Amino acid sequence: MGNNQPTLALFDDYNIYKETRLEGLRFNHAKILPLIKELEKYKLFNVSKAGESLEGRDIFLITVGTGNKKILSWSQMHGDEPTATMALFDVFRFLSSDDKYNEFREKLLSEVTLYFIPMLNPDGAEKFRRQNALGIDLNRDAQKLFFPESKILMSLRNKIKPDFGFNLHDQTTGYAVGYTGKPASISFVAPPFNNAKSLNETRKNSMKVIVGMFEELNKIIPGQIARYSDDFEPRAFGDNFIMRGTSSILIESGGCKDDPEKQFLRKINFVALLSGFNSIANKNYTSHNVDKYFSIPENRELLFDLLLKNITMEYNGSDYLVDIGINREKRVTNNGSDFYFKGIIEEIGDLSVYSAYDIVDCKEMTIDKGKTYPTPFFSSAEIEKLDFPQLHREGYLAVQLEDKNYLESWTKLPINILLNKNFDIFETANQQPANFILKSNDVIKLIVINGFAHDITKNKISIQNGLIIN
């Protein structure tokens, strides 16, 4: 293709290259093994074993390209941050394809050599947790290098001596772009190499590449790109790579509305990586101004999952107007293969500086406690047969189950299930479960169950899961 930076075309054509065998966030080492083995049949790729994790899982290095500029990219240093891992396998499919992008690929791979470590922390991925098998954050082990995963990454850096390093992460969905109220879907940082956050050519080159990626992604997700905190962390790999002469670029995948499995952000990662690689291959980054890096808004933790505004709350005979911010904590279950949400009230009061993925104006609505259905049930099968819309209209947000052998922690049903009938889930206070009703003229208009708001006049119930509470 003649276009030096075909960002929009790659975005539009993404589905051609998507690795469909990786569809959700919870996949483990065994899932990517056959995908890595398949790359061996292409002459394009060199697949080698870089070492083993603490629990003995193989960590691979995948190499492609013949260019003088060297780029090392690693993903899933944190086991529960898999968005970029999916994108890397999409990139592999793109690089091995034969189509209208051949000119783009040939130029890219003749100018750069790409080195990839997909899933640096396979033990953490197995349990879908941040740390490695011993509970250690590998991104705080760049100096001591106590753990095999850390040693592998640093030894590869020292052996390859890459010009650029792409450090690929996920951040929580609670970050916004400055005070704009928009989610920080992607955040970048060029890590510092000292507490003074000084600039040298190595760090400036990181910033210049980020400026180019920002400009390209801004064509797709305008206003949803931020700059991550650049506080110096001497134990982190990005900071240490900069010290050693590798221009480090950290990418954080945050949140995007209606993208709980981060499949859209996976697509954005695919485009971002190819854009960054291409900028380096064509030396486009050299023309960018470092000042533009500092003009990218900082990300700020000012985003709730749900923000209910202008609620009337009564106390001691007086009415007060408040906002309620709710977050839904994602809890992993079934040894990392599934998840559920736990809705928590994060803050009550004047939340005018905050925004949310979902905002509901509750003007002229009064908050009230929900109710637990008075008659207990003796099996979950009985509960499944209930008329939930009718229960919601009557203000019932929980039912009782008398089954001491029931061991589940959540339910797909749109209601909470109490195993302990004396447990109060209806206290409206910070860090309490988000379960209450909102009335207008004493008529229930809206219910909140486990942090999900549901307009009872709507046919489709918007509550993704309830909790089992004992």
Side-chain angles (χ1 to χ4, degrees):
M1 296 204 34
N3 188 347
N4 183 257
Q5 193 72 292
T7 302
L8 295 177
L10 287 169
F11 180 79
D12 291 339
D13 291 336
Y14 166 75
N15 285 338
I16 299 171
Y17 311 108
K18 182 178 180 180
E19 176 49 77
T20 57
R21 287 168 290 182
L22 296 177
E23 276 294 346
L25 293 176
R26 284 149 307 284
F27 54 86
N28 60 10
H29 182 256
K31 187 77 172 179
I32 68 168
L33 273 179
L35 306 182
I36 291 174
K37 292 297 182 183
E38 280 185 13
L39 296 177
E40 294 178 342
K41 67 184 181 184
Y42 294 97
K43 292 182 179 179
L44 186 69
F45 298 103
N46 179 64
V47 179
S48 61
K49 179 178 171 179
E52 295 181 0
S53 68
L54 198 59
E55 292 186 335
R57 295 181 174 88
D58 291 342
I59 296 171
F60 293 92
L61 177 69
I62 297 163
T63 308
V64 56
T66 58
N68 291 328
K69 283 287 183 182
K70 299 175 182 179
I71 304 173
L72 174 63
S73 304
W74 64 99
S75 70
Q76 232 161 331
M77 168 179 280
H78 296 140
D80 58 353
E81 299 179 6
T83 304
T85 301
M86 295 184 287
L88 290 184
F89 284 95
D90 302 333
V91 168
F92 298 154
R93 284 179 59 86
F94 171 79
L95 293 176
S96 60
S97 296
D98 179 9
D99 55 27
K100 65 182 181 180
Y101 292 101
N102 281 349
E103 182 182 336
F104 174 90
R105 293 185 192 93
E106 290 167 8
K107 173 67 174 176
L108 175 67
L109 297 180
S110 66
E111 296 293 336
V112 302
T113 301
L114 301 171
Y115 300 86
F116 300 96
I117 310 171
M119 196 178 282
L120 180 67
N121 180 9
D123 300 345
E126 195 71 20
K127 296 181 179 179
F128 201 72
R129 72 177 189 182
R130 179 183 179 87
Q131 300 85 1
N132 75 349
L134 196 59
I136 304 300
D137 184 340
L138 295 175
N139 207 23
R140 298 296 180 265
D141 190 37
Q143 282 194 342
K144 297 294 186 181
L145 298 174
F146 283 138
F147 294 92
E149 303 91 344
S150 308
K151 292 176 181 177
I152 288 168
L153 179 56
M154 189 59 79
S155 66
L156 286 173
R157 198 232 72 88
N158 294 339
K159 178 181 178 182
I160 296 167
K161 293 181 171 58
D163 301 282
F164 291 88
F166 283 74
N167 187 2
L168 307 174
H169 290 264
D170 285 65
Q171 68 179 6
T172 66
T173 59
Y175 285 96
V177 178
Y179 295 99
T180 66
K182 290 188 175 182
S185 299
I186 292 290
S187 296
F188 294 108
V189 70
F193 55 88
N194 59 21
N195 281 314
K197 304 182 183 180
S198 304
L199 298 183
N200 59 10
E201 285 306 306
T202 303
R203 191 173 183 220
K204 285 180 181 179
N205 285 338
S206 299
M207 293 176 176
K208 291 177 181 180
V209 172
I210 287 171
V211 168
M213 296 169 73
F214 171 83
E215 291 180 351
E216 292 302 311
L217 292 186
N218 210 41
K219 299 172 184 177
I220 304 169
I221 49 171
Q224 292 178 233
I225 309 165
R227 181 162 49 92
Y228 196 76
S229 169
D230 65 349
D231 290 338
F232 178 55
E233 173 46 79
R235 301 168 298 166
F237 275 89
D239 307 58
N240 277 272
F241 274 29
I242 290 274
M243 290 180 202
R244 289 164 170 78
T246 294
S247 296
S248 183
I249 295 141
L250 186 141
I251 303 178
E252 297 271 1
S253 298
C256 199
K257 186 173 172 60
D258 300 325
D259 189 32
E261 292 291 309
K262 294 196 173 184
Q263 295 305 295
F264 179 75
L265 287 182
R266 164 191 186 171
K267 183 177 180 179
I268 294 297
N269 270 259
F270 168 82
V271 174
L273 289 168
L274 289 175
S275 169
F277 298 161
N278 191 50
S279 176
I280 294 166
N282 287 285
K283 300 181 177 62
N284 297 338
Y285 73 95
T286 60
S287 65
H288 291 303
N289 191 324
V290 167
D291 291 341
K292 289 187 176 180
Y293 170 83
F294 292 104
S295 71
I296 300 172
E298 290 186 351
N299 62 8
R300 299 181 184 276
E301 207 163 359
L302 292 173
L303 209 60
F304 295 115
D305 288 315
L306 173 64
L307 179 56
L308 303 173
K309 299 181 72 69
N310 305 312
I311 294 173
T312 299
M313 181 178 284
E314 187 273 336
Y315 185 78
N316 282 348
S318 298
D319 289 342
Y320 300 91
L321 206 61
V322 301
D323 307 323
I324 297 180
I326 294 170
N327 281 333
R328 306 179 193 114
E329 299 175 2
K330 188 178 283 188
R331 300 290 182 90
V332 175
T333 185
N334 295 334
N335 202 27
S337 64
D338 206 352
F339 72 95
Y340 64 94
F341 293 103
K342 181 179 181 180
I344 299 292
I345 297 172
E346 288 290 342
E347 193 165 348
I348 303 173
D350 175 9
L351 304 183
S352 55
V353 299
Y354 289 85
S355 189
Y357 291 94
D358 292 299
I359 300 175
V360 181
D361 188 352
C362 301
K363 188 177 181 180
E364 298 182 355
M365 292 188 195
T366 302
I367 193 167
D368 200 356
K369 282 194 170 188
K371 299 184 294 183
T372 299
Y373 195 75
T375 306
F377 299 91
F378 298 93
S379 73
S380 58
E382 289 181 84
I383 297 174
E384 290 171 6
K385 297 175 183 177
L386 292 173
D387 183 348
F388 293 108
Q390 182 59 36
L391 287 176
H392 294 158
R393 284 191 291 270
E394 295 175 13
Y396 292 113
L397 310 186
V399 296
Q400 302 172 57
L401 174 63
E402 294 193 359
D403 182 353
K404 293 181 180 179
N405 297 318
Y406 198 73
L407 300 176
E408 300 296 328
S409 53
W410 64 290
T411 173
K412 292 183 178 179
L413 300 176
I415 202 155
N416 295 301
I417 299 176
L418 302 185
L419 302 181
N420 180 350
K421 62 183 178 181
N422 296 317
F423 193 93
D424 182 12
I425 63 168
F426 300 122
E427 181 185 1
T428 304
N430 288 346
Q431 302 307 309
Q432 293 300 309
N435 299 284
F436 48 84
I437 61 177
L438 292 161
K439 295 179 177 179
S440 179
N441 297 322
D442 288 327
V443 177
I444 296 174
K445 296 293 184 181
L446 196 76
I447 63 169
V448 174
I449 292 180
N450 190 33
F452 293 94
H454 173 55
D455 183 340
I456 64 170
T457 66
K458 301 288 178 65
N459 291 327
K460 185 178 179 181
I461 297 176
S462 54
I463 301 155
Q464 292 194 32
N465 70 267
L467 296 180
I468 312 297
I469 302 169
N470 56 27

